[in-house]
Amino acid sequence: MDTDPYLADNIFSEPEQIPQRNGYGDGVIEAGKKNKNVVVLCCDLVQSTRSLGFKKAFPERFFEMGIAEQNMAGIAAGMAFCGKIPYIASYAVFNPGRNWDQIRVSICFSMANVKVMGAHAGVTVGPNGGTHQALEDIAITRCLPNMTVIVPCDYLEAKKATIAMADLNGPVYMRFGREKLPAITTERTPFQIGRAETFRQGNDVTVIACGSLVYESLIAAEELSSDGVDVRVINCHTVKPIDKDSIVRAARETGAIVTAEEHQAHGGLGSSVSEVVSGNHPVPIEYVAIMDRFGESGTPDELMAKYGLKSPNIIDAVKKVLKRK
Amino acid sequence: MDVTEKEIAFLENKADQIREDIIKMLLEAGSGHSAGSLGTADIFTALYFHVMKHDPKNPDWEERDRFVLSNAHICPVLYATLAHAGYFPKEEMMTLRKLGSRLQGHPHRGMLPGLEASGGSLGQGISIAVGMALANKLDGKRSRVYCMVGDGEEDEGQVWEAFLLAGKNRLNNLAVVVDRNNIQQDGFTEDIMPMEPLKGKYEMFGWHVLEVDGNDIRSLIGAFEEAKEIFEKPTMLLAHTIPGKGVDFMEFKPEWHGKPPDKEEAKKALEDLEQIKTLGGRIIGEHQ
């Protein structure tokens, strides 16, 4: 059932470092080449969301909204009803943060084919501080009927997701970060919306991660293997619809689960996994996530460490969950 | 294009029929918004029976003009108009707000032919209409987009975001009707949140503004036709309407914004509407 993930062979030495947002930027140009109905809307953030490339490539299909995220969501819905495939880009704290009601009624309730691009998500946006660190965006999008929620783990996965979602008729939310992240996946790594990928086989415990925490989980698993702990790592890039089969199989085969995400524990990937596990094959779960608090200014690395989102935190969580097994 | 007396008489009669059905629907539903629904029946009639290019037998026709109801709580008038235009059977009007009905308390796009957008959270429909106008421009389509916005709805900031963008993009394929009836849920608009001068505001946002008697079908048609001739800007029809139009005890009364008539009130309302309909004797015969 599991296919070879064909991960980069330098993950544990010196992986290439590329921001996820470039994956959206490059991906949406590809999507635009493949389908003339793809349009991009942005709220005065073309450079930082990486929408600039599309704007240059397809100036007539790019629409500057000004700083007005609510209007952007509604305009995108109207364009979608006329056959367009709008990608709407801003910071995740505003999009879907500020325009959630518009995403709910104009987009999800109405099945508008709009792709919501939440940039600068998570604490890794760093110095901008707590107002700019989207830590609730997965929770507020995955609760919306008709919505698909994607949290890619690196540049290439963000790019593949951006291209793939153009062919999925319906609303999609994708969150991505600002900072450079290790390139984990390769062109050969399988990617399919809705299917989690097992990035490392293991039978003692499973770490189910998304986004920037996938790399940290692989590092943790590598370290734990020298202690004789056999860790399975699942990249659960699609938080909704979640891959129930992979999660239930992991619960059954490994008997303990750790979830890891750069998001509040409440309502994010960990909650999603719990819903599946508790209803199908209950096993102990530990959560590596933001624990019900807002972020603050600091460097990305400092914040990831302070908020407990690094590989040592995953190792601790694995040890803890194994004791409960 | 001149509209004949005969056609105006036909349209006025149609608007009255729609008003009667609104009263019946609201009575049957037991909840819903009376005043705005009655007050805008003339505007809906002008649009769906004269101005707009559309085909009820082919609601997804690519070249159609589109109408978005942003103040979606007055959907009884939209539903009644769509039924009269032939989008769905008239009997279905009486299912308004009932379990399993395609006529939801607020419009749900995709459930009923002819609905171009969902609505119910104020301020959103106007953005959707602006998006449609942008898409039509991009595709080089000559179709027009129409939208109705409530005057109370303009308390919402999103409305002004959308107005700004339409002005910036010179969306001359967009005509918006503001239902200026001066009432909203809790009272008169100018007490809740003073909005005047509205005409000046729209003009400063880059719109061509036409003030019109929103209960006069001939004036409405004239304004919609004039809007088609404006090449540089979107057009705003600042339509002064009488809330509760045609029902004496409802007219101009904010308390009728958000409630339906009871049985006695509905009887009285239908009598009032019947009286209007026969005034001048222009339309006797067709309806008796």
Side-chain angles (χ1 to χ4, degrees), chain A residues 93-106:
Chain A
V93 280
F94 311 131
N95 178 49
R98 192 185 181 109
N99 57 9
W100 185 83
D101 180 37
Q102 286 75 11
I103 290 172
R104 176 176 180 268
V105 177
S106 293

Side-chain angles (χ1 to χ4, degrees), chain B residues 18 20 35 39 63 77-78 144 172 208 233 286:
Chain B
I18 287 169
E20 283 184 358
E63 302 304 317
V77 64
L78 174 60
R144 293 181 63 77
N172 60 352
H208 181 74
K233 295 174 174 180
E286 174 162 352

Side-chain angles (χ1 to χ4, degrees), chain A residues 187-210:
Chain A
E187 290 292 350
R188 295 183 71 190
T189 305
F191 176 82
Q192 190 185 316
I193 294 172
R195 195 182 73 186
E197 296 296 336
T198 303
F199 274 8
R200 183 188 178 104
Q201 300 294 340
N203 293 311
D204 293 337
V205 57
T206 304
V207 178
I208 302 176
C210 63

